[in-house]
Amino acid sequence: MPAYSLQINGKTHKVNTEASTPLLWVLREHLALSGTKFGCGLGQCGACTVHLDGSPMRSCTLPISSLQENQEITTIEGLSPNGKHPLQEAWIEEQVPQCGYCQSGQIMQAAALLDQNSQPTREEIISHMNGNLCRCGTYTRIVKAIQRAADANT
Amino acid sequence: MEKSSNNISRRNFIAAAGGVTLAITAYALYPTLSGSKKEIDPSDLAEEKVNAWVHLRNDGQITIYNPAAEMGQGSMTALPVILAEELDADWDKVKIETAPINVETYGFKAFGNRKVMINVGSRTVMGYYDALRQAGAQARYILLHSVAQHWSVPIQELNTAPSLVQHEASGREISYGEIVDILQEPENIPEIPSSDLKSPDEFRLIGKVLPRYDVPAKVDGSAQFAIDIQVPDMHYGVLERGKVHGAKPSLTNAAEIQSLEGIIAIVPFSYGVGVVATTLEKALAAKAKLAIDWDRNVTAQGHDSQSDLEGYQQLADASSDGKVMHKVGDVKAAMRKGIKKYTATYKNDYIYHAQMEPLNAIASVAADGQSAEIWAGTQNPGSIAPTVAKELGIEADQVKLNLCYLGGGLGRRSTSDYIVESVKLSQATGKPVKLMWTREDDLQYGMYRPLSLQKLEAATDANGQIIALNHCIVGDGSNLLASGAKNAFYNIPNQAVDLRLTQKGIRIKHWRAVGHGPNKFAIESFIDEIAADQGKDPLDIRRALMKDSPKALATLEKAAEMANWNTPPAPGRARGIAFGERSGALCTGICEISVEEDSGKIRVHHFWSAVDAGTIVQPDNVVAQMEGGIIMGMSSVFCEQLTIKNGEIQQSNFHDYPILRIEDAPESIEIAMMPSTDSPKGIGEASTPIVAGAIANAFATLTGKRLRHLPFSPSRVKRVLEA
Ligand code: FES
Ligand code: FES
């Protein structure tokens, strides 16, 4: 089985697995970074969203062999040193999560937006977040929380 | 466990809820935490006093046990709030932990006065409300009693403030934490009469906006769902199940599968083939390679969900009565007397739960098969030990369930099929096994809200009053279909619900709000059709129907006021209204929509809803549940359709079974909660059933056309527009 070296949340991790194994299983099952969730395995729901060199990616559709050793992977566990990213605080203020299962993916997706665009419009927020499903129906609060975090940026 | 149980038996412990004195045993000391590491260090135990619901530590920390599964509905916070209110606890000092799974101690009475630990039908807060107030009041009594003894003052002279006992006459006060060292067990703990409980105007916690306890762990990835659990030597299990429910497998390449690297076992099931492997990727790779011949000689074979609706129509049109589920007055006689008759038919396709966390469970069956430990998210925690014990032929007390957060329940997680599967895989291999359902497994071997057809007939008298309403429902699943067909809040003197059952062999189940979704769609559409025929305003006809139901009427008036019903919306838009009751909550909803005629896409711009849910324990959480219920309702109304051809499920994942995305959420959802001091009612499903009717009614106002078949997919809407 091939060996891989990954940069995740600022640390180097070595993993032995088949070349086709999605990054999602590597994170969750090999490295016990379980904040990143499995929802569909098909790039349809966004529960598995992580950052690859700062861009939001669906880790369920990224085979480990497609990653370069020097690419920086960030998961929800590494988004902020203390869980106090402005989005995480806004998420608490707006009481966004219900079951919570989709929320790591939502926050990672939103964080990538604010990195690029600190003052997104409502339309920009919606189009950026459209790939992330929430079965509990927290969408209206997600929009409010992103707006709140953006306001906190100013 | 052993050691601490010895520690504990030396101490004097206190009684618990409901006036029942409990023998306190070690199980109360090591509740399983959902989502965080254990905070209780056994060495601290000497400093704790315990009853079944509350731990009080001498530093003032108050741990309250949450007896319910947390699946997003927020009762993990709401239930401790109820207890803390009567205990007069300082909320900042409260910690919440998951209660041990012990039905006698932590169950609530439901379903014929049986004690249960089950979280279904929005019953959790209402089911526990009285018991938790009593438990909190009794815990407070114990503290008061101890201080009265210690200070030698009559207990009546003592009072409490948040986490403090005060003696006004002498100006003394003592914190709850300090009472630990002087705690004295009363001879017996009286049932606190309801007149001695707080009155609503004394509430400090109930009805106040408090943040949900589980939210912080759900924004940093630390909340643990069952799917996140890892245990030593854990293996991975998957099953291949048939696309035709109930089909029986014969595996034709067992030797090939067995020879794959990392495959530990192939485990046969009557309806599928299980594989256990050392890693998840190996298990999934093996699953993909399974060559299975399916014996499809089962009921589901031949079922075609769309063309079978014609047979449903024939059943509805047949003259013989089905099973009468509900009856007031004499519908047939009233129908004969009626001046004008109305008939309409409504249909709904199968829909699937699509809870975001696919089903999964971890089971570790001991090598000798005589005990088992389970990690799972379940809506039915009280049933797991007996179910697993039966499977293994052991006693229920040899099964331990570690209840985790649920990534959605929605009715799917009140069965334990997935837990039993994990147990069988662990038993067969002697390893702890994490059983994973892929999204495809979850969808295709799901348990759906049944396909149904509803034929409504009404008669009106010379004044246009509805004097008879006959509601005929055709489909699979008895009570799954009938819930919500009864109209207790509409003054219609003669009503009947007539159920005509089919058997299609498809796995069916409660789906958020159960039969209320299709039934309220039919009833609320039908009321508007009659109103339109009579030239009445949809609000006015309901006002008249609700004249004897003031609480329901109040939600109607409130929603109309919020939506500015009497002011017409912008051109190209229309509003629609619907009412429904579910689990005791009364709810009116109004939506404002527009339609893209080219595509057939309906947009909901705003949704207003007023709900009477009795006493509101956690207001912001009620709002969240109402919002989520509306969005899930919209998802079912616009997007969700599961179809079956020759018994085979046709969809497999979110690409062909879409659920509502953020772009289709309304710009605003406004919720009003009616002030009430009644006991709490269920809120988790209150808003879902009103969505379809409100949208269909708005659509009819806008276009003059009726949508009669859920979901209102763009292609269907277009066909209706072009007809
Ligand atoms: S799990 Fe990756 S997008 Fe759904
Ligand atoms: S919070 Fe439950 S799926 Fe989004």
Side-chain angles (χ1 to χ4, degrees):
Chain A
M1 245 183 330
Y4 297 92
S5 174
L6 301 174
Q7 288 295 321
I8 305 169
N9 301 333
K11 287 197 198 108
T12 306
H13 294 267
K14 306 262 183 240
V15 179
N16 290 308
T17 185
E18 289 82 357
S20 60
T21 303
L23 175 61
L24 178 60
W25 300 148
V26 172
L27 293 171
R28 292 183 48 78
E29 305 299 340
H30 290 258
L31 304 174
L33 288 166
S34 60
T36 306
K37 299 302 192 223
F38 164 57
C40 68
L42 208 64
Q44 292 287 317
C45 75
C48 64
T49 304
V50 298
H51 294 177
L52 192 61
D53 289 335
S55 298
M57 300 293 275
R58 308 298 187 227
S59 62
C60 70
T61 55
L62 275 182
I64 190 168
S65 56
S66 71
L67 300 166
Q68 312 297 317
E69 279 202 12
N70 56 359
Q71 279 180 306
E72 179 58 41
I73 298 160
T74 309
T75 69
I76 186 74
E77 290 89 350
L79 179 64
S80 63
N82 48 10
K84 295 234 172 349
H85 186 283
L87 282 165
Q88 290 171 314
E89 298 200 309
W91 243 245
I92 292 174
E93 282 295 319
E94 296 293 342
Q95 293 281 292
V96 176
Q98 290 187 25
C99 84
Y101 194 77
C102 72
Q103 299 294 346
S104 298
Q106 304 279 4
I107 291 170
M108 293 308 285
Q109 182 72 17
L113 172 65
L114 294 189
D115 284 347
Q116 302 293 315
N117 177 356
S118 64
Q119 296 296 311
T121 63
R122 183 187 158 83
E123 287 63 39
E124 286 168 336
I125 291 172
I126 285 171
S127 93
H128 181 84
M129 298 303 294
N130 207 42
N132 287 68
L133 294 173
C134 176
R135 185 48 150 174
C136 297
T138 64
Y139 295 135
T140 47
R141 290 183 187 229
I142 286 172
V143 174
K144 283 188 202 153
I146 295 173
Q147 288 169 334
R148 177 186 278 269
D151 290 346
N153 267 342
T154 54
Chain B
M1 271 276 180
E2 273 305 296
K3 190 166 149 266
S4 55
S5 104
N6 292 338
N7 278 344
I8 287 319
S9 59
R10 286 193 267 104
R11 306 200 61 92
N12 294 327
F13 288 119
I14 312 161
V20 186
T21 304
L22 293 164
I24 300 303
T25 52
Y27 63 71
L29 290 169
Y30 282 108
T32 310
L33 293 186
S34 178
S36 61
K37 301 230 158 50
K38 286 195 169 56
E39 287 261 342
I40 300 172
D41 176 350
S43 58
D44 287 349
L45 290 179
E47 315 197 7
E48 294 188 13
K49 301 289 182 180
V50 181
N51 85 6
W53 291 100
V54 184
H55 278 216
L56 178 55
R57 237 165 46 173
N58 57 4
D59 64 0
Q61 179 181 293
I62 300 168
T63 302
I64 300 178
Y65 293 124
N66 159 43
E70 178 55 62
M71 53 189 145
Q73 85 281 31
S75 63
M76 175 189 193
T77 309
L79 298 181
V81 159
I82 297 164
L83 188 146
E85 181 72 70
E86 288 301 332
L87 175 58
D88 223 4
D90 177 350
W91 186 250
D92 290 340
K93 301 211 161 73
V94 170
K95 287 183 60 67
I96 299 170
E97 291 182 6
T98 303
I101 310 303
N102 181 302
V103 176
E104 267 318 300
T105 307
Y106 295 104
F108 69 95
K109 285 194 177 152
F111 312 113
N113 233 13
R114 209 156 44 87
K115 271 204 164 184
V116 290
M117 284 179 89
I118 185 170
N119 308 110
V120 298
S122 306
R123 283 182 177 82
T124 300
V125 166
M126 67 170 130
Y128 278 107
Y129 188 68
D130 291 340
L132 287 178
R133 292 186 81 194
Q134 185 60 224
Q138 289 184 329
R140 178 174 173 273
Y141 173 84
I142 293 161
L143 300 179
L144 290 173
H145 169 85
S146 303
V147 175
Q149 298 285 308
H150 187 66
W151 287 345
S152 303
V153 298
I155 192 167
Q156 296 79 5
E157 290 183 9
L158 295 174
N159 232 318
T160 56
S163 279
L164 286 176
V165 174
Q166 298 170 321
H167 186 238
E168 208 186 319
S170 62
R172 282 178 292 184
E173 63 178 33
I174 180 169
S175 72
Y176 283 9
E178 292 168 303
I179 299 172
V180 169
D181 294 329
I182 57 158
L183 204 69
Q184 303 204 20
E185 189 179 3
E187 284 287 285
N188 62 64
I189 297 164
E191 176 90 17
I192 311 294
S194 51
S195 55
D196 286 358
L197 300 179
K198 286 187 182 178
S199 68
D201 57 2
E202 293 172 306
F203 288 163
R204 289 186 298 106
L205 302 173
I206 291 176
K208 302 296 178 290
V209 173
L210 296 171
R212 276 173 58 148
Y213 197 80
D214 53 339
V215 160
K218 290 178 174 177
V219 305
D220 66 9
S222 65
Q224 284 213 308
F225 300 83
I227 203 168
D228 302 331
I229 299 289
Q230 301 205 356
V231 300
D233 196 30
M234 188 173 85
H235 284 56
Y236 292 85
V238 292
L239 262 79
E240 183 68 11
R241 306 169 191 80
K243 278 192 182 183
V244 175
H245 289 182
K248 292 174 196 64
S250 322
L251 179 65
T252 60
N253 64 342
E256 182 197 337
I257 299 297
Q258 198 76 66
S259 70
L260 296 171
E261 195 206 324
I263 300 304
I264 303 296
I266 299 173
V267 184
F269 287 75
S270 63
Y271 57 88
V273 176
V275 181
V276 178
T278 51
T279 68
L280 177 55
E281 48 273 25
K282 287 188 168 68
L284 288 169
K287 172 167 147 82
K289 290 205 174 87
L290 291 168
I292 299 172
D293 283 342
W294 293 99
D295 174 359
R296 298 183 169 193
N297 191 12
V298 291
T299 314
Q301 189 179 31
H303 176 39
D304 185 313
S305 56
Q306 305 319 100
S307 61
D308 280 7
L309 277 171
E310 288 162 28
Y312 283 28
Q313 182 75 57
Q314 284 158 17
L315 264 175
D317 292 340
S319 57
S320 65
D321 284 344
K323 186 173 167 194
V324 177
M325 303 296 287
H326 169 71
K327 202 173 155 200
V328 272
D330 184 342
V331 167
K332 285 190 179 137
M335 286 284 184
R336 282 192 297 272
K337 269 194 266 159
I339 302 293
K340 186 155 188 188
K341 305 264 165 55
Y342 296 87
T343 304
T345 298
Y346 307 89
K347 295 176 260 191
N348 65 282
D349 293 331
Y350 288 107
I351 54 174
Y352 150 67
H353 294 92
Q355 76 293 338
M356 281 308 292
E357 180 195 11
L359 297 175
N360 65 86
I362 295 94
S364 180
V365 178
D368 63 4
Q370 294 305 300
S371 64
E373 186 164 4
I374 313 289
W375 292 259
T378 166
Q379 292 177 251
N380 200 350
S383 76
I384 301 307
T387 303
V388 170
K390 197 165 161 217
E391 186 59 42
L392 295 172
I394 59 176
E395 294 298 321
D397 62 5
Q398 295 305 304
V399 179
K400 179 171 185 231
L401 169 67
N402 302 281
L403 179 61
C404 305
Y405 282 128
L406 283 68
L410 309 173
R412 179 62 179 93
R413 281 193 161 93
S414 60
T415 42
S416 50
D417 51 342
Y418 56 105
I419 295 173
V420 171
E421 287 178 352
S422 71
V423 168
K424 286 188 170 168
L425 296 180
S426 175
Q427 186 187 26
T429 55
K431 301 283 184 194
V433 175
K434 180 189 274 190
L435 166 79
M436 294 271 291
W437 288 46
T438 63
R439 177 59 62 187
E440 289 78 7
D441 297 338
D442 199 279
L443 187 150
Q444 300 201 315
Y445 216 65
M447 303 175 98
Y448 316 120
R449 187 173 82 181
L451 181 80
S452 79
L453 179 143
Q454 319 205 16
K455 184 176 171 185
L456 273 65
E457 293 167 283
T460 50
D461 65 12
N463 302 320
Q465 299 287 322
I466 304 171
I467 54 168
L469 177 64
N470 192 60
H471 189 152
C472 171
I473 308 170
V474 185
D476 257 17
S478 201
N479 283 324
L480 287 184
L481 298 169
S483 97
K486 171 169 143 184
N487 299 285
F489 301 90
Y490 286 154
N491 188 2
I492 301 172
N494 304 286
Q495 297 187 34
V497 177
D498 167 13
L499 190 60
R500 302 182 181 188
L501 290 175
T502 60
Q503 265 200 340
K504 299 297 179 187
I506 301 300
R507 288 152 52 89
I508 49 177
K509 187 76 181 66
H510 310 80
W511 186 101
R512 195 176 192 169
V514 199
H516 280 64
N519 289 328
K520 295 304 177 198
F521 161 53
I523 293 163
E524 294 301 304
S525 297
F526 196 47
I527 300 276
D528 260 42
E529 293 198 57
I530 296 170
D533 180 69
Q534 298 182 343
K536 285 185 186 151
D537 180 88
L539 175 65
D540 290 337
I541 192 171
R542 287 179 178 77
R543 263 188 190 133
L545 285 167
M546 288 178 182
K547 68 178 173 31
D548 298 332
S549 304
K551 289 179 185 172
L553 181 61
T555 68
L556 187 82
E557 299 290 3
K558 182 69 192 175
E561 174 198 318
M562 291 162 75
N564 258 321
W565 182 263
N566 291 325
T567 314
R573 293 197 182 182
R575 298 194 195 112
I577 191 166
F579 167 80
E581 87 300 325
R582 169 71 185 161
S583 301
L586 311 174
C587 184
T588 299
I590 297 177
C591 65
E592 183 172 307
I593 68 158
S594 64
V595 183
E596 293 169 14
E597 303 231 352
D598 301 344
S599 63
K601 187 177 171 72
I602 301 174
R603 258 184 200 290
V604 175
H605 301 279
H606 303 289
F607 211 109
W608 300 269
S609 182
V611 62
D612 183 335
T615 296
I616 301 292
V617 176
Q618 281 264 273
D620 186 55
N621 188 50
V622 171
V623 171
Q625 288 303 299
M626 292 289 292
E627 292 167 349
I630 288 165
I631 287 179
M632 188 162 161
M634 284 175 56
S635 183
S636 69
V637 168
F638 292 135
C639 312
E640 299 182 38
Q641 181 188 34
L642 186 123
T643 55
I644 297 171
K645 277 203 186 113
N646 196 18
E648 265 191 25
I649 311 299
Q650 299 296 300
Q651 289 73 27
S652 64
N653 203 319
F654 292 125
H655 66 292
D656 55 10
Y657 187 92
I659 64 173
L660 199 87
R661 291 187 180 273
I662 197 169
E663 66 179 356
D664 293 321
E667 288 141 46
S668 73
I669 300 177
E670 273 178 58
I671 305 298
M673 293 165 279
M674 308 308 288
S676 170
T677 55
D678 293 349
S679 63
K681 306 296 187 289
I683 47 105
E685 301 162 292
S687 64
T688 307
I690 56 176
V691 176
I695 292 170
N697 290 340
F699 183 85
T701 301
L702 191 63
T703 67
K705 308 263 168 94
R706 268 285 145 196
L707 296 167
R708 301 182 177 281
H709 195 162
L710 286 167
F712 310 153
S713 56
S715 57
R716 259 187 199 156
V717 171
K718 249 185 109 172
R719 252 178 282 138
V720 169
L721 285 172
E722 285 160 5

